[in-house]
Amino acid sequence: MARMALLALIGLIAAALLGAGLPPAASEGAESGRTATVAGAVRRATSGGGSAAAPITTGIPRLTDARGRTLTLRGWNVEDKIHHGPDALSAITERHFADLRANGFNFARLLVFWDDLEPRRGHYSEPYLRKIRRILNWAHKHGVHVVIDAHQDVFGPAFGHRGIPAWATRTDGLPFTAHPEDWFAEYFEPAVQRAFTHLYQDADLQRAQARMWRLLADRFGGHPAVFGYDLINEPMGELRAGEDLASAARRIEATQLTPMYRRLATAIRTRDRLNHLFIEPTPIVGEGVPTGLGSVPGERLVYAPHFYNTAMEAGGDYDPAAGWITAYENAVTTYPRKHSIPVVVGEWGPLNSGLPNMRRFHDDALASFTRYSSGWAAYVWCYGGGYCALDPQGRFRTNKERTATPYAPAVAGTVRTETHDPARATYRLAYRSTRRPGTTVLSLPPSTTGWHIKVSGRTAHPSTRSVPPGQARQVRVRASEATEVKVTVSPASGLPD
C-alpha cells in the first residue's frame, strides 16, 4: 500500500485538494501534520479516533467450502516487483510455498501484472502464463490456496511502476512528476488520476481488461491451487473540484469501481463459475472511511480491504490508545454486513516491525481480524529487510512470528467462539458440529514446547492429543453427530500426552 513519508503524502493530498478549488486550511498540530482539510474529511467519515464506538461485527458470513465447512485463510502476499519481461516472476521459488506451509500458513496472494501478461495490445505472453502455472503447481504441492491478484502500483509502467500496460495508459497530456522518496504521493499527480478515469470509462479499455481476466480465468480456473481472483489492487481515481478526499473515494467506489467489478465478474464467470472474486475499496479505507461500493451480483464474492495506517506506513510506532483499529473495523464491517459477503484482509503489516509497540500491534490486529474476517494475507513473504516476513536465513524477523498462531482452516460446523490468547499462547475454538460426520482441521505452527490438544464434546475426538516441539502439524477433529465441541490448544510443556 502506502510505502510513504507521511507528511509528504498529506501535503500532496492537500495540494491536490487545493488544486481542485478547495480553500486553504490551517494546520492542526494534534493531527501529526495533517491539514485540517484532510483531517476533517476523514473525521467526518469515521467514528472519531479513540472515542469510536465498538464495531458491530455480527452478521458477516464466513467463507465455506463445498462440504459446508467454515474456512479460514491465513498467509502472505507473494510477489516479484523487480523483474519483468523474460525474467518476470523469477524471484518467486518453491521455497516460498514450502516455508509458508512449514510455518502453518495455507494462503498466498500472488501478484501478477497486466503489463507482463499483455505487453502489446492483443498479444499475451505464453512464457508469463507458464510461469504463473509453475508457481501454482508449487502452491498446490505444499497445500497453499492462491488468490491471483491483478496488481498495480501508481497505475503502471508509464509512470515507472507496474500494472496497467503503457498502451492502456491515457493521460490527455496532463503533467506527471515523480516522487522517488514518496512513491504513493504519485497517485495524486494529474496524469495518473486521469489514467484511472480512462481505464474506468473508455469502452475499448473496459473490453481489454475483461479479455485479460477471461484469459486468466480460462487458463487457471480449474487449477487445484486457485481459490479466487483479486480484480484490481488498491484502485484509485480522479478527484473533482469541491470534493474532500473521503467524498472522492466514495464517489469513485460507487460510480466507477462498482460498474468495473460488475463487468469483470461477468467476464470471469463466462470461464469460471466456481472460484471466488475478491473486490477492494480504495486505500482510503485505512483512514476509517466507509466504502461507497455498491452491490456486485453473484455468488462467491469476497470483500478484500487492506489494513494500513498512515503513521505506521511512515515508519512510526503503533499507538494503542489512538483507537485506529476500532475506527477501521467500523469502516470495513458495514459493507460486508449489508451485502452478506465474507471478508478477507488482502494486505497488512507495518514497515518497521521492531518498534516498541509492534508486538502489541500484531496481537491487536490478529484479534481484530478474528472478530469479522475469514482470514488475511500479510505483506510480504520474502527474505530480507523492510516489509519482508523473514530474514535471508528464513527466520522470522522481529514480531513477525506473532502471525504464526494455531487456527482452524476448516470447521465442520457452526463456529460459536474463536480466540487466541497470545500471553498464554492458547487457542480456543467452540463450535456446533454438523449432524453428518465431518472433519475439523486445526493448523498448528512449530513451537519450542510442542502443543497439547484438548477436545470435549460427545462423539468428538482429535487425531492426536500432542504435537512434538519444532513441528508444524495439521490435527483433525471428528464428531459423528451434532454436538457442542470445544477445542483448546496450549503449550505442551509439563502436560501429559
Side-chain angles (χ1 to χ4, degrees):
M1 188 254 183
R3 331 295 183 225
M4 55 191 150
L6 176 62
L7 299 185
L9 172 63
I10 296 304
L12 198 66
I13 295 174
L17 292 169
L18 293 173
L22 296 180
S27 62
E28 293 185 357
E31 295 293 337
S32 301
R34 295 172 184 263
T35 65
T37 301
V38 176
V42 172
R43 190 180 299 111
R44 287 191 297 273
T46 65
S47 299
S51 62
I56 301 172
T57 56
T58 57
I60 299 174
R62 295 287 298 270
L63 284 171
T64 57
D65 66 9
R67 288 180 278 175
R69 296 185 302 175
T70 301
L71 302 182
T72 296
L73 304 173
R74 287 197 179 183
W76 291 75
N77 283 258
V78 176
E79 67 175 38
D80 180 0
K81 292 185 177 182
I82 303 301
H83 302 97
H84 58 89
D87 297 324
L89 300 175
S90 59
I92 301 175
T93 68
E94 184 176 355
R95 178 189 180 189
H96 286 72
F97 298 94
D99 287 352
L100 278 167
R101 173 51 72 188
N103 286 284
F105 299 109
N106 70 339
F107 181 46
R109 180 174 179 260
L110 173 65
L111 279 59
V112 302
F113 298 102
W114 186 3
D115 59 290
D116 265 326
L117 177 60
E118 191 179 0
R120 292 181 294 132
R121 182 193 289 267
H123 294 270
Y124 298 101
S125 170
E126 287 296 330
Y128 193 66
L129 290 165
R130 287 195 294 270
K131 290 178 180 181
I132 294 173
R133 182 169 294 278
R134 181 177 63 179
I135 291 170
L136 294 175
N137 290 343
W138 289 333
H140 177 57
K141 176 181 176 180
H142 295 285
V144 176
H145 303 292
V146 174
V147 164
I148 297 173
D149 163 44
H151 207 83
Q152 66 78 30
D153 293 317
V154 194
F155 203 78
F159 307 110
H161 296 274
R162 307 299 310 283
I164 290 86
W167 58 260
T169 305
R170 296 168 183 166
T171 66
D172 296 339
L174 293 177
F176 171 77
T177 301
H179 300 265
E181 301 303 317
D182 184 11
W183 67 261
F184 193 80
E186 294 171 4
Y187 275 111
F188 298 93
E189 285 293 312
V192 176
Q193 296 204 339
R194 184 59 53 84
F196 275 105
T197 296
H198 281 293
L199 176 68
Y200 300 143
Q201 295 183 354
D202 291 6
D204 62 325
L205 297 184
Q206 293 175 358
R207 290 191 295 269
Q209 189 183 26
R211 284 195 302 270
M212 180 268 294
W213 266 119
R214 278 197 298 270
L215 173 65
L216 289 173
D218 184 60
R219 293 294 184 93
F220 305 121
H223 196 287
V226 172
F227 187 86
Y229 314 103
D230 193 330
L231 303 187
I232 187 171
N233 176 69
E234 295 183 353
M236 296 287 277
E238 186 170 5
L239 277 68
R240 292 178 177 172
E243 286 184 311
D244 60 33
L245 186 57
S247 298
R250 286 194 291 264
R251 174 187 55 79
I252 291 164
E253 290 160 343
T255 66
Q256 295 177 322
L257 295 187
T258 299
M260 179 186 70
Y261 289 147
R262 291 171 178 168
R263 289 192 301 271
L264 297 182
T266 298
I268 290 171
R269 289 312 186 208
T270 66
R271 301 296 190 270
D272 179 355
R273 303 192 67 83
L274 297 179
N275 285 307
H276 294 75
L277 305 181
F278 286 55
I279 60 171
E280 300 187 30
T282 65
I284 310 306
V285 70
E287 291 297 333
V289 178
T291 185
L293 283 174
S295 64
V296 179
E299 298 179 345
R300 295 182 176 86
L301 201 69
V302 179
Y303 184 52
H306 292 182
F307 179 82
Y308 288 113
N309 172 267
T310 51
M312 285 186 283
E313 285 295 284
D317 202 356
Y318 172 55
D319 180 2
W324 173 67
I325 288 180
T326 299
Y328 177 89
E329 285 191 31
N330 278 314
V332 302
T333 53
T334 301
Y335 179 83
R337 187 168 57 251
K338 176 181 178 181
H339 296 279
S340 192
I341 60 175
V343 178
V344 173
V345 175
E347 285 188 28
W348 72 282
L351 174 61
N352 186 346
S353 65
L355 295 172
N357 288 334
M358 284 302 170
R359 179 184 177 97
R360 169 75 178 273
F361 168 72
H362 281 84
D363 294 344
D364 286 357
L366 293 172
S368 172
F369 300 154
T370 300
R371 287 192 286 270
Y372 64 85
S373 83
S374 289
W376 45 261
Y379 189 86
V380 58
W381 195 254
C382 56
Y383 306 84
Y387 287 87
C388 284
L390 309 167
D391 66 18
Q393 289 71 45
R395 298 169 301 205
F396 275 116
R397 297 177 63 231
T398 304
N399 291 317
K400 302 287 188 179
E401 77 284 352
R402 310 297 290 176
T403 62
T405 69
Y407 68 102
V411 177
T414 302
V415 175
R416 305 293 201 198
T417 60
E418 185 178 22
T419 60
H420 177 255
D421 181 348
R424 295 177 173 80
T426 298
Y427 169 77
R428 291 182 173 85
L429 170 69
Y431 66 98
R432 181 167 182 79
S433 63
T434 55
R435 290 189 176 278
R436 290 186 293 180
T439 301
T440 290
V441 180
L442 307 175
S443 178
L444 310 185
S447 165
T448 56
T449 64
W451 298 105
H452 179 76
I453 302 97
K454 179 181 178 182
V455 175
S456 64
R458 183 166 46 88
T459 78
H461 59 276
S463 57
T464 183
R465 296 188 182 276
S466 64
V467 174
Q471 293 186 15
R473 185 74 62 85
Q474 287 200 338
V475 176
R476 286 164 171 76
V477 178
R478 290 186 60 84
S480 59
E481 59 186 70
T483 188
E484 298 294 333
V485 181
K486 292 184 179 180
V487 178
T488 301
V489 178
S490 56
S493 178
L495 292 174
D497 290 346

